[in-house]
Amino acid sequence: MTTLSPENSLSARQSASFILGLHPFVRTEAWKFLTGYFSWQSSQDERLTVDSTRRKNYKALCEMYEKIQPLLENLHRNFIETRNNITHDIQKLYDKDPLGNVLIDKKRLEKILLLSYVCNTQAEYQQGFHEMVMLFQLMVEHDHETFWLFQFFLQKTEHSCVLNIGVGKNLDMLSTLITFLDPVFAEHLKGKGAGAVQSLFPWFCLCFQPAFKSFDDVWRLWEVLLSGKPCRNFQVLVAYSMLQMVREQVLQESMGGDDILLACNNLIDLDADELISAACMVYAELIQKDVPQILKDFFL
């Protein structure tokens, strides 16, 4: 930070404060505010009313789904295929901890995913959603909370993890960011590493979940994304920071696209604090420069 101007150094320090995350004791309640499930200005009585309404709405959606399920099976050609995909994905999940205690209820998880698929016209089911919703189920007690937190999370993060909405834009902006901040690396990626950046779509689809060593690390990053700090679309700065971890190896070994992808896939057991801090420093570097309008519009 000593290389930054005073005002940008302050900005970086303020941004870095978000790496602290939430204490586990308050995480469940705090997420309801971060996602918009509750308003920050609401009173306790108002929150009780809102929660009751969300519970009733969830129950109504479940009843609607039960009524239209036969129709979906007969007329919606993708419904049975999607349901089978959800069932298959859920069966692969570990549902017990090392001591044999059951962590998740797979039947309840399947129901929530199917309901989300039927009700959310913007974000159809995609592989990886089962792992994301599992984390919400681990965080809260009731199904209606899990369902709505997931819906609000998608909205609050501008559907950035949805393949047919935000993922492609994230990848394009990641390429633009690399070109702007690291022309040498960008040149290699456009040449011998062609296609490598576009192949990183699972990072965004899974919201970086496989890269971390614990659920707490995943929640910590997601909390930063929900906060909107230090900027919009922080996930692209996170991806840029992860690419920088393999940069020297890629250039020294003159890696091609497949080898670059393999090196990126080997980025596992990361520490959320360190990664978020690195991404905050990229942001601090970015705001010191004469940023192209396309990047300004995306981040600032």
Side-chain angles (χ1 to χ4, degrees), residues 8-267:
N8 286 333
S9 177
L10 176 61
S11 175
R13 292 174 195 275
Q14 290 173 338
S15 299
S17 69
F18 286 93
I19 71 172
L20 296 176
L22 293 166
H23 193 283
F25 289 164
V26 302
R27 174 164 280 136
T28 297
E29 196 67 16
W31 265 71
K32 292 179 180 178
F33 291 93
L34 282 171
T35 57
Y37 186 102
F38 290 144
S39 165
W40 289 102
Q41 289 76 37
S42 60
S43 65
Q44 185 175 3
D45 286 343
E46 288 170 335
R47 290 194 289 276
L48 288 172
T49 300
V50 167
D51 188 69
S52 176
T53 300
R54 300 213 189 283
R55 186 192 299 268
K56 290 175 183 176
N57 288 344
Y58 177 75
K59 182 179 179 181
L61 289 173
C62 290
E63 292 172 351
M64 176 207 69
Y65 170 73
E66 290 176 3
K67 290 179 181 178
I68 67 171
Q69 182 179 345
L71 194 63
L72 291 171
E73 291 174 346
N74 291 325
L75 299 179
H76 199 304
R77 61 182 182 179
N78 293 328
F79 175 77
I80 294 178
E81 180 182 355
T82 300
R83 185 173 62 186
N84 290 340
N85 289 339
I86 290 173
T87 301
H88 180 261
D89 288 342
I90 289 177
Q91 291 308 311
K92 293 186 295 183
L93 285 175
Y94 291 107
D95 60 349
K96 297 180 181 178
D97 66 15
L99 298 177
N101 300 311
V102 176
L103 290 173
I104 57 170
D105 186 319
K106 290 187 173 181
K107 284 294 183 185
R108 289 168 56 198
L109 182 58
E110 182 177 7
K111 179 181 178 181
I112 293 168
L113 286 166
L114 274 169
L115 194 63
S116 178
Y117 165 67
V118 171
C119 296
N120 192 335
T121 56
Q122 282 190 289
E124 293 190 352
Y125 179 78
Q126 65 187 37
Q127 194 172 40
F129 277 179
H130 65 299
E131 295 180 356
M132 293 181 70
V133 176
M134 176 193 71
L135 288 184
F136 289 102
Q137 191 181 53
L138 288 172
M139 188 188 300
V140 295
E141 182 179 358
H142 303 291
D143 287 356
H144 74 278
E145 295 172 311
T146 304
F147 175 82
W148 289 116
L149 281 180
F150 179 54
Q151 304 308 314
F152 287 128
F153 178 85
L154 293 177
Q155 292 175 24
K156 197 72 179 286
T157 57
E158 301 181 51
H159 289 82
S160 68
C161 63
V162 180
L163 197 56
N164 62 350
I165 302 177
V167 172
K169 188 172 185 179
N170 284 335
L171 292 168
D172 290 342
M173 297 310 297
L174 176 58
S175 294
T176 303
L177 184 65
I178 297 168
T179 300
F180 179 64
L181 291 179
D182 194 345
V184 173
F185 195 31
E187 194 64 28
H188 180 85
L189 291 173
K190 289 177 183 177
K192 193 166 183 180
V197 172
Q198 293 298 315
S199 298
L200 296 175
F201 65 90
W203 280 0
F204 297 109
C205 287
L206 301 174
C207 226
F208 305 98
Q209 188 177 340
F212 292 111
K213 58 186 176 184
S214 73
F215 290 157
D216 282 331
D217 285 282
V218 179
W219 283 322
R220 189 163 297 184
L221 173 64
W222 289 2
E223 285 155 12
V224 176
L225 299 182
L226 286 170
S227 76
K229 304 291 184 180
C231 63
R232 291 176 57 239
N233 296 305
F234 188 69
Q235 70 277 355
V236 174
L237 300 181
V238 171
Y240 178 87
S241 300
M242 290 174 66
L243 265 176
Q244 289 294 301
M245 295 178 187
V246 302
R247 178 188 187 276
E248 292 306 314
Q249 181 187 3
V250 168
L251 294 179
Q252 287 178 6
E253 299 178 16
S254 191
M255 286 184 174
D258 290 343
D259 290 332
I260 295 172
L261 181 59
L262 180 61
C264 290
N265 288 338
N266 286 334
L267 292 174

